[in-house]
Amino acid sequence: MWMTPKRSKMEFEETRGFRPEWTQRYLVVEPPEGEGAQCLVCAHRVVSTCERDVRRHYEAEHQYYQRYVEEGERAALVERLRQGDLPEIIPPTPEERAARAGLGIARLLALKGRGWGEGDFVYQLTEVVLKDVLPDHVGVLGGIDLTPDTIRQRVLNINENLRSQLFNRAKDFKAYSLALDDQAFVAYENYLLVFVRGVDQDLEVQEELLTIINLTHHFSVGALMAAILEALQTAGLSLQRMVGLTTTHTLRMIGENSGLVSYMREKAVSPNCWNVIHYSGFLHLELLSSYDVDVSQVINTVSEWILLIKTRGIRRPEFQALLTSSESEHGERVNGRCLNNWLRRGKTLKLLFSLRKEIEAFLASVGATTVHFSDQQWLCDFGFLVDIMDHLRELSELLRFNRVFAATAFDHICNFEVKLNLLQRHIEEKNLTHFAALREVVDELKQHVKDDEKILDPNRYKAVISRLQKDFDRHFKDLKFIKKDLELFANPFNFKPEYAPISVRVELTKLQASSELWEEYRNKDLGQFYAGLSAESYPIIKGVACKVASLFDSSEICEKAFSYLIRNQHTLSQPLTDEHLHALFRIATTEIEPHWDALLRARNDPNP
């Protein structure tokens, strides 16, 4: 457990004091009297000395000074501001405005998954609008270059800008975790998306794409491990600060002897490393679990129906809701893998189940086989799959809420395991209260079959639920290992000191005796509470908080990348280098805003 460190103790600087590096970074100085930070530009006093508050003031009020990016320039700027000499804010030139517009359009095209060549189309649309609405301003388009080569290079420049910002922030990470998603298939190639979640000493969380790795070129686990370590080294992240690892539950990731997780844990074993917590159920919970519970390969049959509907039943009104849902997920053009993934979602299966009568009639009208609709075992399997996937969907949606911390996510997992126990008892008793679709199928079959005992085989589905229970126990066993740490983090004032390790009892007793801290705990969210907690007075509790906060608490960023992939899979399947693919995924998933001034300054480089 982290409350009794076996290897090393996390060292914190006191988070409530002014830090000298802020002067050049945010243009603030330590005030002569009192606490806080004094802005050199507007003389505003930032009362809190939490870095996030200082940075927010700088980004909201003085973003203009971000154009002074070189170290020498920043130092000269600080000296001028100390002397009261504010640099004149020079308005951008027409050329700079045009370049800024070009960068913004390039970013928007990347976000929407549009091709490089569509910049010319945007130019033509804008020209038509200006000719009719603002004819005097048509000339401004002359300075905006939207040719495919320029758009392509600008996307790379934006990616490099975002990447450098991430690396700068990574230097301040006190702890971080990785999420490894190997379910990204682009055309005929498979990619591993590596995400990082880090927290600084103010417990501010940052989730970003670290890198993508082409699994075709890194087939062996050793090569994959080397690529990940290289990405960590480039970002300045040492294994000594890695706390958690969340992955998909594929053999490549969690194979007992040859999985990537085993390799990474071996690499992280050293006197200066923490025990790395691994859990493998967050990512693509519905997608990967569906393979375990689809006992009759229902998905393969249903996917054939959908392809027929999309080709021969597109005008039928009863299928419009289904087709609209399909196109909103992955567009009009769809490959087999994306269709298969879409069908493995509980919401989609539920919609298909409600249309089964209409689908049967449609298949008969086009001469396709309808044998499955007369197979009572297959129909029961279909209903059971719909119900189980709907329960998994509910859990998956709870796990998509970000910034709730792993303690809350773990509570959802534990509650679902209790629910699985209930479902298993009910199916054994043939109680279909929580199996709405299966109950509907059984009720329909009872009208045609006299012997009720032959309709439902509870042992068949009891075995499936049992297998799902074992999977959950295996995927989240490491979170159970740190259960007390998670409970302490979530409820420090309700955690009984006698149940805590000896090393933390003094701190915990002292914390619970403080009425001031109790008020802060009641009135602030957990992140704000622990950010303000003194690292000098509560070093162990603060260390636990930092580590728990760095664990991935949701699949949000992975879902964002996955949705971007399936929505734009036709565009992404065009000839693209791994570098360009990396840039598109970063722009689609990042929460960081590009430094436009730095990008404008770089526009005169040999590569525009």
Side-chain angles (χ1 to χ4, degrees):
M1 289 176 57
W2 288 330
M3 285 185 283
T4 52
K6 297 179 181 178
R7 297 179 179 175
S8 67
K9 180 178 177 180
M10 176 180 290
E11 296 181 359
F12 279 92
E13 300 170 30
E14 177 55 54
T15 62
R16 307 307 290 178
F18 181 87
R19 300 212 295 275
E21 61 267 25
W22 291 352
T23 298
Q24 282 200 21
R25 190 181 299 173
Y26 305 122
L27 305 181
V28 294
V29 293
E30 188 173 9
E33 297 180 358
E35 296 182 349
Q38 188 86 29
C39 180
L40 288 170
V41 181
C42 63
H44 174 76
R45 173 77 67 88
V46 181
V47 178
S48 170
T49 47
C50 179
E51 183 173 4
R52 82 182 82 184
D53 296 326
V54 178
R55 184 174 67 246
R56 283 172 183 165
H57 170 76
Y58 172 75
E59 291 178 347
E61 303 294 336
H62 310 301
Q63 189 67 30
Y64 169 81
Y65 293 100
Q66 193 59 40
R67 63 178 53 201
Y68 297 88
V69 292
E70 302 295 335
E71 188 173 345
E73 288 181 327
R74 296 293 284 188
L77 173 63
V78 168
E79 191 57 35
R80 288 182 63 182
L81 292 174
R82 285 182 185 275
Q83 296 173 8
D85 180 15
L86 265 67
E88 181 183 358
I89 298 180
I90 304 172
T93 64
E95 292 79 10
E96 289 176 331
R97 290 181 184 275
R100 172 66 176 80
L103 286 164
I105 290 172
R107 182 195 185 200
L108 186 59
L109 289 173
L111 280 171
K112 298 300 181 181
R114 315 308 295 184
W116 314 126
E118 297 198 27
D120 287 333
F121 181 57
V122 173
Y123 185 97
Q124 294 170 22
L125 289 175
T126 309
E127 188 177 33
V128 169
V129 172
L130 288 179
K131 279 182 178 179
D132 290 334
V133 181
L134 297 169
D136 296 337
H137 293 77
V138 174
V140 301
L141 291 175
I144 303 177
D145 185 359
L146 297 179
T147 58
D149 288 343
T150 303
I151 293 291
R152 185 184 295 110
Q153 185 59 46
R154 281 174 175 162
V155 167
L156 290 179
N157 292 344
I158 292 172
N159 172 62
E160 187 57 35
N161 182 276
L162 295 171
R163 185 169 174 264
S164 65
Q165 289 190 65
L166 170 62
F167 290 176
N168 286 333
R169 296 187 185 188
K171 296 175 184 176
D172 297 327
F173 289 170
K174 291 296 179 183
Y176 72 90
S177 296
L178 295 180
L180 308 179
D181 183 358
D182 63 349
Q183 293 300 301
F185 292 87
V186 181
Y188 299 102
E189 295 191 317
N190 184 196
Y191 288 85
L192 176 71
L193 305 183
V194 182
F195 300 96
V196 62
R197 175 186 169 105
V199 292
D200 59 19
Q201 59 185 11
D202 293 322
L203 266 80
E204 186 166 3
V205 176
Q206 188 80 47
E207 281 187 15
E208 292 292 331
L209 176 68
L210 180 63
T211 188
I212 70 169
I213 300 170
N214 191 326
L215 294 175
T216 307
H217 302 152
H218 300 81
F219 184 77
S220 70
V221 174
L224 196 54
M225 179 73 183
I228 294 174
L229 292 178
E230 182 182 355
L232 290 174
Q233 185 177 9
T234 304
L237 294 169
S238 66
L239 287 176
Q240 283 77 14
R241 287 183 281 163
M242 187 166 76
V243 171
L245 191 62
T246 182
T247 67
T248 57
H249 47 279
T250 59
L251 285 177
R252 181 193 285 116
M253 294 290 112
I254 63 171
E256 187 172 348
N257 297 318
S258 58
L260 182 61
V261 173
S262 299
Y263 276 72
M264 292 202 72
R265 279 184 152 170
E266 287 178 11
K267 194 72 177 178
V269 173
S270 76
N272 297 318
C273 292
W274 299 318
N275 289 311
V276 175
I277 300 301
H278 169 250
Y279 45 104
S280 57
F282 272 18
L283 309 186
H284 306 294
L285 178 64
E286 290 177 84
L287 170 63
L288 295 174
S289 295
S290 67
Y291 288 95
D292 294 327
V293 299
D294 189 0
V295 290
S296 284
Q297 302 298 306
V298 171
I299 299 295
N300 293 338
T301 302
V302 172
S303 63
E304 294 175 4
W305 298 349
I306 296 297
L307 289 174
L308 269 175
I309 291 172
K310 290 177 79 72
T311 54
R312 302 181 65 178
I314 195 168
R315 295 185 182 276
R316 299 210 174 197
E318 63 267 31
F319 299 139
Q320 292 310 303
L322 178 66
L323 294 170
T324 301
S325 173
S326 171
E327 291 181 7
S328 69
E329 288 289 337
H330 45 59
E332 296 181 3
R333 302 180 182 181
V334 59
N335 61 32
R337 183 176 294 279
C338 287
L339 176 63
N340 195 282
N341 291 344
W342 173 66
L343 289 172
R344 291 182 184 279
R345 298 190 175 189
K347 186 176 181 181
T348 307
L349 279 173
K350 201 171 183 179
L351 176 58
L352 281 163
F353 182 80
S354 68
L355 292 170
R356 65 191 184 281
K357 297 296 184 183
E358 292 83 351
I359 292 174
E360 182 181 9
F362 164 72
L363 293 175
S365 69
V366 298
T369 179
T370 59
V371 64
H372 294 94
F373 293 96
S374 58
D375 183 343
Q376 68 179 39
Q377 183 66 72
W378 189 91
L379 286 172
C380 286
D381 289 346
F382 188 14
F384 175 77
L385 178 64
V386 170
D387 291 325
I388 286 294
M389 292 308 298
D390 195 47
H391 291 308
L392 286 167
R393 176 191 59 80
E394 292 174 359
L395 174 61
S396 184
E397 288 181 354
L398 289 173
L399 296 179
R400 283 180 194 148
F401 288 103
N402 203 2
R403 306 294 191 266
V404 295
F405 299 114
T408 303
F410 182 62
D411 286 342
H412 295 321
I413 297 296
C414 292
N415 291 337
F416 188 77
E417 289 182 327
V418 173
K419 186 176 184 179
L420 284 177
N421 289 330
L422 176 66
L423 294 177
Q424 189 177 45
R425 288 200 304 272
H426 279 194
I427 201 70
E428 187 175 7
E429 299 166 357
K430 293 188 177 182
N431 179 353
L432 303 182
T433 304
H434 299 289
F435 298 90
L438 181 57
R439 183 175 67 244
E440 191 174 335
V441 170
V442 170
D443 289 343
E444 290 176 359
L445 291 175
K446 282 181 179 179
Q447 299 175 11
H448 307 287
V449 180
K450 295 182 179 180
D451 189 356
D452 293 353
E453 295 295 326
K454 294 182 178 180
I455 296 177
L456 181 65
D457 180 8
N459 292 328
R460 181 181 180 87
Y461 305 124
K462 182 182 174 183
V464 174
I465 296 174
S466 178
R467 186 162 63 245
L468 205 55
Q469 287 175 312
K470 291 177 181 177
D471 285 345
F472 267 74
D473 187 60
R474 185 174 74 253
H475 298 329
F476 299 104
K477 66 180 180 180
D478 274 16
L479 287 180
K480 294 176 181 177
F481 175 72
I482 59 166
K483 183 177 180 181
K484 284 191 176 180
D485 299 272
L486 297 175
E487 290 174 352
L488 172 66
F489 174 82
N491 298 293
F493 286 90
N494 294 329
F495 195 95
K496 294 183 179 180
E498 58 267 28
Y499 294 150
I502 296 175
S503 60
V504 79
R505 289 179 186 175
V506 174
E507 285 187 20
L508 190 57
T509 304
K510 180 181 175 182
L511 176 77
Q512 293 176 351
S514 173
S515 57
E516 181 181 352
L517 290 177
W518 165 243
E519 284 301 316
E520 288 187 18
Y521 175 75
R522 290 180 55 198
N523 298 322
K524 296 180 179 180
D525 62 40
L526 274 177
Q528 292 173 333
F529 170 73
Y530 282 111
L533 194 65
S534 169
E536 290 183 347
S537 302
Y538 306 97
I540 298 178
I541 294 178
K542 186 85 171 186
V544 171
C546 188
K547 293 171 186 176
V548 172
S550 71
L551 293 173
F552 275 88
D553 56 9
S554 78
S555 60
E556 183 189 35
I557 191 169
C558 298
E559 289 292 335
K560 192 186 295 185
F562 194 64
S563 297
Y564 180 78
L565 169 62
I566 61 176
R567 264 198 328 268
N568 306 301
Q569 40 90 24
H570 177 70
T571 301
L572 297 177
S573 297
Q574 304 301 315
L576 288 173
T577 65
D578 288 352
E579 184 183 16
H580 282 104
L581 200 61
H582 189 176
L584 292 173
F585 274 114
R586 186 183 301 283
I587 292 171
T589 57
T590 188
E591 294 180 351
I592 301 174
E593 186 71 13
H595 283 163
W596 300 110
D597 287 333
L599 287 164
L600 289 175
R601 288 175 57 138
R603 73 187 188 280
N604 293 324
D605 289 351
N607 293 321

